[in-house]
Amino acid sequence: MENLIGLLVAIPLLGAALLLCGGRRLDGKGHYIGTVLAAASFAIGAVLFADMLGRGEHDRALHSKVFSWIPVGGFRADVAFQLDQLSMTFVLLITGVGTLIHIYSIGYMEHDERRRRFFGYLNLFLAAMLLLVLADNYLLLYVGWEGVGLASYLLIGFWQHKPSAATAAKKAFIVNRVGDVGLSIAIMLMFTTFGTFTFAPVLTNADHASEGKLTAIGLMLLLAACGKSAQVPLQSWLGDAMEGPTPVSALIHAATMVTAGVYLITRSGAIFNAAPDAQAAVVAVGAVTLLFGAIVGCAKDDIKKALAGSTMSQIGYMILAAGLGPIGYVFAIMHLVTHGFFKAGLFLGAGSVMHAMNDEVDMRKYGGLRKYMPVTFITFGLGYLAIIGFPGLSGFWSKDKIIEAAFAKGGTEGWILGGAALLGAAITAYYMTRVMLLTFFGEKRWVPDEEGHEPHPHESPSSMTIPMIVLAVGSVFAGGLFSVNDAFLKWLEPVTGHSHGDSPLSAAAVTGGTMVVLLIGVALAWAQYGRRPVPRTAPRGSLLTRAARRDLLQDDFNHVALVKPGQYLTRGLVYVDHKLVDGVVNGTAASVGGLSGRLRKLQNGYARTYAVSMFGGTAVLIAATLLMRAV
């Protein structure tokens, strides 16, 4: 079975190579090749999962060394894989949801001339993400980490003929480079502290390292996670990433890129457990981001950007849970998986709506679409119920556990974190109900586009609706299946550990509180958007609403705090370069040139001049010699 692990990465990587290098001869079938190879990777993952279930819970980890990558003296870094319960969870999510997105893309990208290349990029994305979660050392993980960044750049900017898409891709790439610096520094610190990058010795010996070093490593890992998972303060790229094709949004937001930070923190749990300050920073980032993203989602009229704010918020819940340590590791991953189902379904549903509405994204120009798109309405609606935590659906089981874990932190901190999580649940219910009402209910509000073409809403083809139906099934049942006899907890506990904490509230009390805030959020949205006509253009709104429309001024802050100082620094360096560096260089050259010009006049070709020079030189030498003897 160990030999199959490498195939998980190799198969989609082969697909990327074929589709990107195979030329136009594959144009007519490239989408099928990409989809089949993604499904083949999922099939191998399913075989490995079945084999893992047949082993004892403490005997499930598999290791596979492919080759020695960097052997230098006594140091060695291998290309080696580790498959345990944590990485297996990600393998099934990445390949399973990834395959469904490939199938959906067959219909969505049907008329795109560069469809073969698009599927090549999708395969590359899967291969990089699988490498990231299967690596048995941080250095190899870093290769997958950078591969995901490259693939996201290519996919977000796939329609590079649009300046907004090209700019969004560049923005995502640059912001993520900031986080990547954190990961590279963390790896360097690991090597100087432990003498290795491999997970097992690093995590096993974490307790023996100084708390200061572990705190530094933990903070750098958190910086990396903030970049990939779009957490405060590196969240500004996520909304702009919606410029890519909708399947890209589903892939990035549900199954791959934004989950990488949660995986990194959970995998490095032993480091954070031994570094309380770094762990507190993780909790703070998660709590702030879950509210930040939810508030942004409330003010967006672009359906994809509203869902992007939702992703930021839901990943914030996962980061918060991961920051709680053994109390929350399992529930962070559980919510990550359930979120993979309902968020992928929501994005694919949004793409279906756009497909029917001539690529219109403004929800104020939708309305009443449930009559025209019943399958999209039902599947999107089930995803909506799951994300707001409707009883019995997937989000109810996973998000409620995170809220319970937040209260279980104990003391004042527990009340603050639990309160923030409950407030986030209320805002989630509000903005997601707003999305449902603006899109599927009320009177139709669509108008002809700039070329005079009026949308004619219709249901999407089966290649798009079937993946949506499968994801809707997962949105309904996955969380409940995971919770039967604490199945998911027992699955991950041998890897992540688990502690029940010390909650001042019972699980029933937390659930009751969650239901109350859910109903409040739904009622507020219904009162604002369900009982009154929706204007086609957004009113000016309050100061908070206007700020939320501009992503709570995150780009403005970056411009003032980073771009402007960078510009001034650059101008200062240019001034120093021109006036000081170039001044010294040019001044020296001018001095040498001037001196040379003057000395050149002595070389006039007259013998008498040279004779006088020789006589003068001789006289100077004789005088100097006599003076030295006299002294």
mmCIF file of all heavy atoms in Angstrom, residues 86 112 119 126 130 151-152 228 237-238 242 259 294 322 326 330 341 361 394 397 413 452 459:
data_model
loop_
_atom_site.group_PDB
_atom_site.id
_atom_site.type_symbol
_atom_site.label_atom_id
_atom_site.label_comp_id
_atom_site.label_asym_id
_atom_site.label_seq_id
_atom_site.Cartn_x
_atom_site.Cartn_y
_atom_site.Cartn_z
ATOM 1 N N LEU A 86 -4.978 12.254 9.573
ATOM 2 C CA LEU A 86 -5.125 13.659 9.221
ATOM 3 C C LEU A 86 -4.916 13.876 7.722
ATOM 4 O O LEU A 86 -5.744 14.503 7.048
ATOM 5 C CB LEU A 86 -4.138 14.510 10.035
ATOM 6 C CG LEU A 86 -4.142 16.012 9.750
ATOM 7 C CD1 LEU A 86 -5.507 16.620 10.033
ATOM 8 C CD2 LEU A 86 -3.060 16.718 10.567
ATOM 9 N N ASP A 112 -14.952 27.822 -23.736
ATOM 10 C CA ASP A 112 -13.683 28.529 -23.585
ATOM 11 C C ASP A 112 -12.633 27.897 -24.499
ATOM 12 O O ASP A 112 -12.425 26.680 -24.477
ATOM 13 C CB ASP A 112 -13.208 28.476 -22.126
ATOM 14 C CG ASP A 112 -12.127 29.504 -21.845
ATOM 15 O OD1 ASP A 112 -11.004 29.332 -22.350
ATOM 16 O OD2 ASP A 112 -12.395 30.469 -21.113
ATOM 17 N N PHE A 119 -7.893 22.881 -17.504
ATOM 18 C CA PHE A 119 -7.889 21.595 -16.803
ATOM 19 C C PHE A 119 -6.472 21.182 -16.409
ATOM 20 O O PHE A 119 -6.275 20.510 -15.397
ATOM 21 C CB PHE A 119 -8.560 20.516 -17.659
ATOM 22 C CG PHE A 119 -10.056 20.522 -17.545
ATOM 23 C CD1 PHE A 119 -10.824 21.418 -18.283
ATOM 24 C CD2 PHE A 119 -10.699 19.651 -16.684
ATOM 25 C CE1 PHE A 119 -12.204 21.429 -18.167
ATOM 26 C CE2 PHE A 119 -12.077 19.663 -16.559
ATOM 27 C CZ PHE A 119 -12.838 20.559 -17.303
ATOM 28 N N LEU A 126 -4.366 20.279 -7.841
ATOM 29 C CA LEU A 126 -4.581 19.076 -7.032
ATOM 30 C C LEU A 126 -3.250 18.441 -6.648
ATOM 31 O O LEU A 126 -3.054 18.032 -5.491
ATOM 32 C CB LEU A 126 -5.439 18.067 -7.803
ATOM 33 C CG LEU A 126 -6.905 18.418 -8.074
ATOM 34 C CD1 LEU A 126 -7.631 17.182 -8.623
ATOM 35 C CD2 LEU A 126 -7.605 18.911 -6.830
ATOM 36 N N LEU A 130 -1.974 17.989 -2.806
ATOM 37 C CA LEU A 130 -1.735 16.637 -2.297
ATOM 38 C C LEU A 130 -0.300 16.494 -1.801
ATOM 39 O O LEU A 130 -0.050 15.846 -0.773
ATOM 40 C CB LEU A 130 -2.034 15.607 -3.390
ATOM 41 C CG LEU A 130 -3.520 15.412 -3.712
ATOM 42 C CD1 LEU A 130 -3.690 14.610 -4.993
ATOM 43 C CD2 LEU A 130 -4.237 14.717 -2.553
ATOM 44 N N ALA A 151 -0.221 27.644 -8.758
ATOM 45 C CA ALA A 151 -1.448 27.214 -9.431
ATOM 46 C C ALA A 151 -2.574 28.215 -9.208
ATOM 47 O O ALA A 151 -3.368 28.491 -10.122
ATOM 48 C CB ALA A 151 -1.858 25.824 -8.933
ATOM 49 N N SER A 152 -2.669 28.775 -8.008
ATOM 50 C CA SER A 152 -3.719 29.766 -7.741
ATOM 51 C C SER A 152 -3.507 31.010 -8.599
ATOM 52 O O SER A 152 -4.466 31.599 -9.119
ATOM 53 C CB SER A 152 -3.736 30.138 -6.259
ATOM 54 O OG SER A 152 -2.568 30.842 -5.897
ATOM 55 N N LYS A 228 -2.090 31.919 3.266
ATOM 56 C CA LYS A 228 -2.786 30.912 2.467
ATOM 57 C C LYS A 228 -4.274 30.856 2.792
ATOM 58 O O LYS A 228 -5.103 30.626 1.915
ATOM 59 C CB LYS A 228 -2.167 29.529 2.723
ATOM 60 C CG LYS A 228 -0.946 29.233 1.882
ATOM 61 C CD LYS A 228 -1.281 29.038 0.407
ATOM 62 C CE LYS A 228 -0.063 28.669 -0.401
ATOM 63 N NZ LYS A 228 0.853 29.804 -0.608
ATOM 64 N N TRP A 237 -6.527 39.459 -0.428
ATOM 65 C CA TRP A 237 -6.531 38.884 -1.774
ATOM 66 C C TRP A 237 -7.778 38.067 -2.082
ATOM 67 O O TRP A 237 -8.118 37.843 -3.253
ATOM 68 C CB TRP A 237 -5.302 37.983 -1.967
ATOM 69 C CG TRP A 237 -5.270 36.768 -1.084
ATOM 70 C CD1 TRP A 237 -4.733 36.664 0.158
ATOM 71 C CD2 TRP A 237 -5.805 35.478 -1.386
ATOM 72 N NE1 TRP A 237 -4.883 35.402 0.657
ATOM 73 C CE2 TRP A 237 -5.538 34.647 -0.275
ATOM 74 C CE3 TRP A 237 -6.469 34.934 -2.485
ATOM 75 C CZ2 TRP A 237 -5.925 33.311 -0.223
ATOM 76 C CZ3 TRP A 237 -6.863 33.600 -2.440
ATOM 77 C CH2 TRP A 237 -6.586 32.808 -1.325
ATOM 78 N N LEU A 238 -8.475 37.615 -1.039
ATOM 79 C CA LEU A 238 -9.499 36.587 -1.246
ATOM 80 C C LEU A 238 -10.682 37.091 -2.064
ATOM 81 O O LEU A 238 -11.149 36.408 -2.976
ATOM 82 C CB LEU A 238 -9.975 36.046 0.116
ATOM 83 C CG LEU A 238 -10.801 34.768 0.041
ATOM 84 C CD1 LEU A 238 -9.952 33.617 -0.464
ATOM 85 C CD2 LEU A 238 -11.373 34.416 1.410
ATOM 86 N N MET A 242 -12.121 36.297 -6.812
ATOM 87 C CA MET A 242 -13.359 35.913 -7.484
ATOM 88 C C MET A 242 -13.341 36.261 -8.970
ATOM 89 O O MET A 242 -14.246 35.884 -9.716
ATOM 90 C CB MET A 242 -14.555 36.622 -6.835
ATOM 91 C CG MET A 242 -14.782 36.254 -5.377
ATOM 92 S SD MET A 242 -15.019 34.488 -5.124
ATOM 93 C CE MET A 242 -13.390 34.002 -4.617
ATOM 94 N N THR A 259 -7.606 25.937 2.904
ATOM 95 C CA THR A 259 -7.544 24.951 3.989
ATOM 96 C C THR A 259 -6.112 24.642 4.400
ATOM 97 O O THR A 259 -5.890 24.007 5.425
ATOM 98 C CB THR A 259 -8.234 23.646 3.568
ATOM 99 O OG1 THR A 259 -7.494 23.033 2.499
ATOM 100 C CG2 THR A 259 -9.661 23.893 3.108
ATOM 101 N N ALA A 294 -17.481 37.900 8.146
ATOM 102 C CA ALA A 294 -18.939 37.907 8.191
ATOM 103 C C ALA A 294 -19.493 39.296 7.924
ATOM 104 O O ALA A 294 -20.482 39.458 7.196
ATOM 105 C CB ALA A 294 -19.400 37.397 9.563
ATOM 106 N N ALA A 322 -8.448 25.593 15.917
ATOM 107 C CA ALA A 322 -7.085 25.075 15.945
ATOM 108 C C ALA A 322 -6.260 25.767 17.029
ATOM 109 O O ALA A 322 -5.387 25.151 17.653
ATOM 110 C CB ALA A 322 -6.427 25.255 14.579
ATOM 111 N N PRO A 326 -5.748 21.014 21.857
ATOM 112 C CA PRO A 326 -6.432 19.709 21.839
ATOM 113 C C PRO A 326 -7.938 19.819 22.023
ATOM 114 O O PRO A 326 -8.670 18.899 21.655
ATOM 115 C CB PRO A 326 -5.784 18.970 23.020
ATOM 116 C CG PRO A 326 -4.438 19.592 23.167
ATOM 117 C CD PRO A 326 -4.637 21.039 22.827
ATOM 118 N N VAL A 330 -9.712 18.604 16.491
ATOM 119 C CA VAL A 330 -10.612 17.694 15.767
ATOM 120 C C VAL A 330 -11.748 18.467 15.122
ATOM 121 O O VAL A 330 -12.111 18.229 13.958
ATOM 122 C CB VAL A 330 -11.156 16.617 16.721
ATOM 123 C CG1 VAL A 330 -12.264 15.812 16.039
ATOM 124 C CG2 VAL A 330 -10.046 15.688 17.180
ATOM 125 N N PHE A 341 -17.940 20.568 1.620
ATOM 126 C CA PHE A 341 -19.150 20.171 0.898
ATOM 127 C C PHE A 341 -20.052 21.369 0.625
ATOM 128 O O PHE A 341 -20.396 21.649 -0.526
ATOM 129 C CB PHE A 341 -19.917 19.113 1.696
ATOM 130 C CG PHE A 341 -19.318 17.747 1.633
ATOM 131 C CD1 PHE A 341 -18.673 17.200 2.737
ATOM 132 C CD2 PHE A 341 -19.392 16.985 0.478
ATOM 133 C CE1 PHE A 341 -18.115 15.937 2.689
ATOM 134 C CE2 PHE A 341 -18.830 15.716 0.411
ATOM 135 C CZ PHE A 341 -18.191 15.191 1.522
ATOM 136 N N VAL A 361 -23.268 39.113 -11.914
ATOM 137 C CA VAL A 361 -22.939 38.707 -10.538
ATOM 138 C C VAL A 361 -23.675 39.541 -9.495
ATOM 139 O O VAL A 361 -23.650 39.195 -8.306
ATOM 140 C CB VAL A 361 -21.413 38.809 -10.283
ATOM 141 C CG1 VAL A 361 -20.658 37.836 -11.151
ATOM 142 C CG2 VAL A 361 -20.910 40.234 -10.467
ATOM 143 N N SER A 394 -24.995 19.504 8.054
ATOM 144 C CA SER A 394 -23.580 19.332 8.375
ATOM 145 C C SER A 394 -23.007 20.460 9.228
ATOM 146 O O SER A 394 -22.275 20.225 10.192
ATOM 147 C CB SER A 394 -22.772 19.205 7.082
ATOM 148 O OG SER A 394 -23.039 17.983 6.443
ATOM 149 N N TRP A 397 -23.528 20.338 13.053
ATOM 150 C CA TRP A 397 -22.712 19.432 13.874
ATOM 151 C C TRP A 397 -21.291 19.957 14.060
ATOM 152 O O TRP A 397 -20.714 19.807 15.138
ATOM 153 C CB TRP A 397 -22.661 18.046 13.224
ATOM 154 C CG TRP A 397 -23.987 17.405 13.066
ATOM 155 C CD1 TRP A 397 -24.722 17.307 11.916
ATOM 156 C CD2 TRP A 397 -24.764 16.786 14.093
ATOM 157 N NE1 TRP A 397 -25.895 16.654 12.168
ATOM 158 C CE2 TRP A 397 -25.952 16.320 13.487
ATOM 159 C CE3 TRP A 397 -24.574 16.590 15.460
ATOM 160 C CZ2 TRP A 397 -26.942 15.667 14.208
ATOM 161 C CZ3 TRP A 397 -25.554 15.929 16.181
ATOM 162 C CH2 TRP A 397 -26.730 15.483 15.559
ATOM 163 N N GLU A 413 -11.629 34.330 29.024
ATOM 164 C CA GLU A 413 -11.273 34.094 27.632
ATOM 165 C C GLU A 413 -12.309 33.223 26.940
ATOM 166 O O GLU A 413 -12.688 33.467 25.783
ATOM 167 C CB GLU A 413 -9.892 33.453 27.553
ATOM 168 C CG GLU A 413 -9.370 33.285 26.142
ATOM 169 C CD GLU A 413 -7.994 32.643 26.088
ATOM 170 O OE1 GLU A 413 -7.446 32.313 27.164
ATOM 171 O OE2 GLU A 413 -7.472 32.467 24.979
ATOM 172 N N GLY A 452 -27.884 44.997 -24.881
ATOM 173 C CA GLY A 452 -29.314 44.851 -25.087
ATOM 174 C C GLY A 452 -29.843 43.436 -24.964
ATOM 175 O O GLY A 452 -31.012 43.183 -25.269
ATOM 176 N N GLU A 459 -32.174 26.183 -16.289
ATOM 177 C CA GLU A 459 -31.370 25.267 -15.480
ATOM 178 C C GLU A 459 -30.103 24.888 -16.233
ATOM 179 O O GLU A 459 -30.078 24.818 -17.468
ATOM 180 C CB GLU A 459 -32.184 24.009 -15.135
ATOM 181 C CG GLU A 459 -31.538 23.137 -14.079
ATOM 182 C CD GLU A 459 -31.237 23.900 -12.797
ATOM 183 O OE1 GLU A 459 -32.139 24.024 -11.959
ATOM 184 O OE2 GLU A 459 -30.097 24.384 -12.657
#
